[in-house]
């Protein structure tokens, strides 16, 4: 078996999420049946276009909804520009899933705080949907999501719908509401912590993903809440050329983000010097 | 291990006979240096110290094609040649053993494995020069990782250690040239040769405790000094027997109506190495890039099972134009005197 070998897949649907982020539903060619895709929330895949190249992308869908992989892709470089030009039904190439993903079995029976900013929604939506699909396995669930403006909020409509559910607390905020019609909070994501009530900190897992600046402030809040450091999870981004611990680019000290991550704990961060 | 003897005057004849198994490569002189080349064995230079590039070039060539894409399909491309590499020194064999773990254990890499299985490793003993420090990394003697190993002890014979089933097959190609009778005198000569070799090391490098020293030194200003001198040329990574980083690029070959996906050597010394989409660079500064390199060489790599990846070959000593190399960096971190442009004004 060649671990670099790609699997042919077809783009089923494309949605525009924001000006520079699109959402892709992708279905591997595996016969006509809807198939179970064997991955964990927090894992990633390598996506390729022949002649352009290959790069790692977080999986935004949950394995509890079989048949499709979903990716949330921002147009930032050569490969993503080409991916943006693709239409529904186009062929793309996948390999993976890779990485450790979230320790969902260990997280069962705990309260969950899912905190996302910007493109951090891409990997954390997978965890959120997984927890909602297996609702009875988890305690309280809080979603805290921050964006610059309502237009910049990924999965805005999907998450606004969640505000009506009574089995999770969905806290959405924007730095600035330029529409005048924003139905949720205004301010930075850390301000949402005042609405986090009634969790049992020792029995809580927090998952954080967002721009590098976000971690420091969010982690401070989580430590204040007395959530154990090894239960504060974060998923990190690095350059990768292989996804399987060979090419070296994602090395942080002596570990590899693609094998030992991309999900790390705050304890790992304190103990490894270059994580965030 | 089976140990036999080969008359020194028969070496060339023996190596020539191996051409029936595969291409025979060995160290030849190139200017003032040495390279592994495919030549007639009579041209092999047995006095060769380190070659410019380590033998990793046989297993992960500087650039090679992984896949070709044509007519909507990807096809794997493999190098099927069989090669015999003669003249590898213990440090280089240790380097290969380290690459074996990286490429063969977790997600086995078929490109590496195919080349590795098609390559016979014929080690050759050596005496250290002033740049060798394999005695400090404890990689100056090998017990595994070779098919045959030739020890050049004084006298008329090489002692030949048969390290694998393939090695055994290779000796049987010209069984008539070997002598099974290793005498008491030969053994004494070998022990004496080892003693003499160990005394020849000029290095005073002591790497004891380096992992902890690197760990505690993370924020020390010395890294900035070294970083200011570093040229980011990547020579250290290219010549290092255990540096394995690579980049992957697609290239259109229009006249063949195919696209090829190539893999080529990369270096953590290059600025783009840790650059991600959107422009964030996790290792913008040269000092940050040096820290990664030296963590891998002096502390460990490859997750929990990794050991320091330096094998003491001295190539970085040879290659770096500004004296940034394993002995100098290790000594500087230990507060010992270093003769390098970046260490001046320290006293």
């Amino acid at each position: 078996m060649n671990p670099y070998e790609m699997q042919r897949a077809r783009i089923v649907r494309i949605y525009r999420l924001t000006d520079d982020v699109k959402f892709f539903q992708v279905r591997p060619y595996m016969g006509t049946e809807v198939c179970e895709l064997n991955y964990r929330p927090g894992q990633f895949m390598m996506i390729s276009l022949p002649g352009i190249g290959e790069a790692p992308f977080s999986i935004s869908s949950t394995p509890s909804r079989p048949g499709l992989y979903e990716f949330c892709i921002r147009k930032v470089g050569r490969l993503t520009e080409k991916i943006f030009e693709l239409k529904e039904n186009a062929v793309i190439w996948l390999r993976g899933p890779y990485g450790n993903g979230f320790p969902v079995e260990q997280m069962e029976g705990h309260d969950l705080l899912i905190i996302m900013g910007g493109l951090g929604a891409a990997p954390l939506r997978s965890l959120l949907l997984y927890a909602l699909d297996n609702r009875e396995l988890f305690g309280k669930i809080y979603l805290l999501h921050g964006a610059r403006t309502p237009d910049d909020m990924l999965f805005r409509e999907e998450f606004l719908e969640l505000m009506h559910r009574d089995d999770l607390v969905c806290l959405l905020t924007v730095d600035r509401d330029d529409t005048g019609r924003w139905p949720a909070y205004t301010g930075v994501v850390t301000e949402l912590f005042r609405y986090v009530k009634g969790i049992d900190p020792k029995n809580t897992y927090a998952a954080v993903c967002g721009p590098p600046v976000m971690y420091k402030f969010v982690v401070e809040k989580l430590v204040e809440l007395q959530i154990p450091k090894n239960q504060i999870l974060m998923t990190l981004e690095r350059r990768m050329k292989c996804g399987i611990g060979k090419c070296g680019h994602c090395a942080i000290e002596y570990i590899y983000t693609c094998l030992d991550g991309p999900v790390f704990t705050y304890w790992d961060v304190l103990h490894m010097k270059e994580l965030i | 291990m089976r140990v036999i003897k080969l008359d020194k005057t028969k070496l060339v004849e023996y190596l020539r006979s191996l051409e029936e198994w595969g291409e025979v490569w060995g160290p030849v002189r190139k200017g003032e240096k040495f390279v592994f080349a495919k030549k007639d064995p009579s041209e092999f230079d047995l006095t060769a110290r380190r070659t410019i590039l380590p033998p990793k070039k046989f297993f992960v060539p500087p650039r090679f094609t992984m896949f070709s894409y044509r007519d909507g399909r990807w096809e794997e491309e493999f190098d099927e040649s069989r090669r015999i590499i003669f003249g590898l020194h213990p440090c280089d064999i240790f380097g290969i053993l380290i690459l074996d773990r990286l490429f063969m254990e977790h997600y086995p890499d078929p490109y590496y494995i195919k080349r590795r299985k098609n390559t016979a490793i014929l080690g050759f003993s050596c005496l250290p020069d002033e740049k060798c420090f394999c005695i400090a990394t404890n990689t100056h003697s090998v017990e595994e990782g070779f098919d045959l190993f030739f020890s050049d002890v004084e006298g008329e014979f090489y002692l030949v250690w048969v390290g694998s089933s393939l090695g055994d097959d290779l000796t049987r190609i010209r069984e008539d040239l070997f002598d099974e009778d290793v005498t008491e005198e030969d053994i004494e000569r070998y022990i004496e040769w080892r003693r003499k070799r160990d005394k020849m090391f000029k290095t005073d490098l002591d790497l004891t405790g380096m992992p902890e020293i690197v760990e505690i030194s993370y924020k020390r200003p010395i890294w900035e000094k070294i970083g200011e001198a570093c040229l980011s040329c990547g020579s250290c990574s290219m010549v290092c027997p255990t540096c394995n980083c690579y980049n992957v690029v697609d290239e259109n070959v229009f006249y063949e109506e195919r696209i090829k996906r190539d893999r080529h050597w990369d270096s953590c010394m290059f600025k783009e190495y840790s650059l991600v989409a959107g422009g964030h660079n996790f290792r913008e500064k040269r000092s940050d890039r040096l820290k990664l390199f030296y963590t891998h060489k002096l502390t460990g790599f490859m997750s929990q099972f990794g050991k320091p990846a330096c094998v003491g070959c001295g190539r970085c000593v040879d290659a770096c134009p500004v004296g940034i190399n394993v002995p100098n960096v290790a000594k500087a971190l230990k507060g010992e005197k270093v003769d390098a442009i970046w260490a001046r004004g320290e006293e």
Side-chain angles (χ1 to χ4, degrees), chain A:
Chain A
M1 231 291 285
N2 187 336
Y4 301 99
E5 198 172 309
M6 295 137 277
Q7 185 183 11
R8 184 207 290 265
R10 188 168 62 87
I11 298 178
V12 180
R13 284 198 75 177
I14 304 173
Y15 303 83
R16 201 186 70 99
L17 287 178
T18 70
D19 277 349
D20 60 351
V21 180
K22 279 186 185 176
F23 180 72
F24 296 81
Q25 287 188 323
V26 175
R27 182 174 174 158
Y29 279 82
M30 289 199 278
T32 49
E33 311 234 327
V34 170
C35 30
E36 296 274 342
L37 296 174
N38 194 14
Y39 64 91
R40 304 168 67 83
Q43 286 195 294
F44 64 91
M45 299 201 69
M46 300 296 285
I47 300 184
S48 285
L49 290 179
I52 311 299
E54 197 177 40
F57 294 89
S58 299
I59 306 174
S60 296
S61 49
T62 164
S64 48
R65 301 179 190 179
L68 294 167
Y69 289 113
E70 293 172 339
F71 301 99
C72 175
I73 298 177
R74 173 172 285 166
K75 187 161 80 170
V76 279
R78 226 160 53 90
L79 177 64
T80 51
E81 265 168 34
K82 288 286 173 194
I83 293 176
F84 264 57
E85 288 170 13
L86 297 175
K87 301 276 185 281
E88 285 165 359
N89 243 341
V91 170
I92 60 165
W93 298 85
L94 305 176
R95 60 188 178 91
Y98 296 126
N100 56 357
F102 287 100
V104 284
E105 293 82 6
Q106 288 171 42
M107 294 163 82
E108 283 175 11
H110 291 72
D111 294 337
L112 298 184
L113 287 182
I114 299 175
I115 304 143
M116 48 178 87
L119 212 47
L124 289 185
R125 177 175 175 268
S126 177
L127 178 66
L128 175 72
L129 297 185
Y130 178 88
L132 293 178
D133 287 352
N134 296 283
R135 190 62 193 84
E136 68 288 354
L137 298 179
F138 298 92
K140 295 196 175 66
I141 300 180
Y142 277 88
L143 165 64
L144 286 69
H145 185 185
R148 271 172 302 175
T149 69
D151 271 348
D152 292 320
M153 181 168 282
L154 300 181
F155 306 109
R156 183 186 61 234
E157 301 308 317
E158 189 178 320
F159 291 160
L160 283 170
E161 284 297 311
L162 293 180
M163 286 170 63
H164 305 300
R165 277 178 76 151
D166 54 13
D167 60 350
L168 87 155
V169 181
C170 175
L171 303 167
L172 306 177
T173 187
V174 292
D175 295 351
R176 178 165 50 82
D177 171 26
D178 44 12
T179 62
R181 291 181 288 118
W182 176 242
Y185 298 101
T186 322
V188 294
V189 76
T190 41
E191 290 172 34
L192 296 174
F193 276 89
R194 75 178 94 140
Y195 307 109
V196 176
K197 294 198 178 87
I199 57 156
D200 171 10
K202 294 283 170 261
N203 196 35
T204 296
Y205 268 94
V208 191
C209 187
V213 290
M214 200 185 92
Y215 290 99
K216 184 170 173 261
F217 298 104
V218 167
V219 167
E220 242 167 56
K221 291 282 182 189
L222 295 170
V223 171
E224 237 170 70
L225 280 173
Q226 297 197 312
I227 297 173
K229 295 182 181 90
N230 58 0
Q231 289 172 207
I232 300 175
L233 308 172
M234 30 192 85
T235 160
L236 304 183
E237 179 191 16
R238 284 295 184 279
R239 187 183 183 93
M240 291 178 191
K241 288 288 172 180
C242 72
I244 55 173
K246 310 274 183 268
C247 81
H249 288 85
C250 71
I252 299 171
E253 294 193 33
Y254 53 84
I255 61 160
Y256 293 115
T257 310
C258 66
L259 297 180
D260 307 275
V263 177
F264 293 98
T265 69
Y266 182 49
W267 166 246
D268 295 327
V269 169
L270 288 177
H271 146 100
M272 309 284 306
K273 285 163 296 261
E274 292 186 332
L275 282 175
I276 59 172

Side-chain angles (χ1 to χ4, degrees), chain A residues 1-6 8 48-54 76-78 91 93 95 97-99 212 237-239 241-256 259-260 271 273-275, chain B residues 66-67 69 72-74 76 78 102-103 106-111 215 218 244-248 250 252 259 261 263 266 272-278 280 282-283 288 292 295-296 299-304:
Chain A
M1 231 291 285
N2 187 336
Y4 301 99
E5 198 172 309
M6 295 137 277
R8 184 207 290 265
S48 285
L49 290 179
I52 311 299
E54 197 177 40
V76 279
R78 226 160 53 90
V91 170
W93 298 85
R95 60 188 178 91
Y98 296 126
E237 179 191 16
R238 284 295 184 279
R239 187 183 183 93
K241 288 288 172 180
C242 72
I244 55 173
K246 310 274 183 268
C247 81
H249 288 85
C250 71
I252 299 171
E253 294 193 33
Y254 53 84
I255 61 160
Y256 293 115
L259 297 180
D260 307 275
H271 146 100
K273 285 163 296 261
E274 292 186 332
L275 282 175
Chain B
M66 301 170 76
F67 293 98
Y69 178 85
R73 308 162 61 92
W74 293 94
E76 300 163 287
F78 288 111
L102 186 102
F103 285 113
H106 209 83
Y107 288 109
D109 184 312
Y111 303 96
E215 177 74 24
Y218 188 75
N244 58 279
C245 288
Y246 62 79
N247 200 354
V248 178
D250 281 12
N252 280 293
I259 288 162
R261 176 158 291 173
R263 211 158 120 177
D266 201 351
E272 303 74 22
Y273 183 80
S274 301
L275 181 71
V276 294
H280 185 72
F282 289 94
R283 293 191 188 89
D288 290 337
L292 176 70
T295 297
H296 282 195
T299 305
F301 81 141
M302 295 195 285
S303 304
Q304 292 81 351

Side-chain angles (χ1 to χ4, degrees), chain B residues 272-330:
Chain B
E272 303 74 22
Y273 183 80
S274 301
L275 181 71
V276 294
H280 185 72
N281 195 335
F282 289 94
R283 293 191 188 89
E284 185 91 48
K285 285 182 0 196
R286 271 174 285 193
S287 57
D288 290 337
R289 306 203 285 274
L290 285 160
K291 282 178 200 173
L292 176 70
F293 184 94
Y294 284 98
T295 297
H296 282 195
K297 301 309 164 196
L298 296 172
T299 305
F301 81 141
M302 295 195 285
S303 304
Q304 292 81 351
F305 54 87
K307 289 192 294 190
C310 177
V311 295
C313 71
R315 286 189 180 88
C316 52
V317 181
D318 224 12
C320 181
V322 292
I324 303 173
N325 54 51
V326 168
N328 278 353
V329 170

Side-chain angles (χ1 to χ4, degrees), chain B residues 200-246:
Chain B
M200 282 175 74
F201 281 96
K202 300 211 174 61
T203 181
D204 55 349
L205 183 65
D206 175 10
L207 293 173
T208 324
M210 265 339 275
E212 301 100 280
I213 294 170
V214 173
E215 177 74 24
I216 203 173
S217 300
Y218 188 75
K219 290 184 177 157
R220 285 168 85 188
I222 181 74
W223 288 113
E224 302 305 321
K225 279 201 154 167
I226 307 176
E228 273 168 40
C230 175
L231 306 167
S232 284
C233 67
S235 298
C236 49
S237 329
M238 303 302 144
V239 303
C240 179
T242 64
C243 269
N244 58 279
C245 288
Y246 62 79

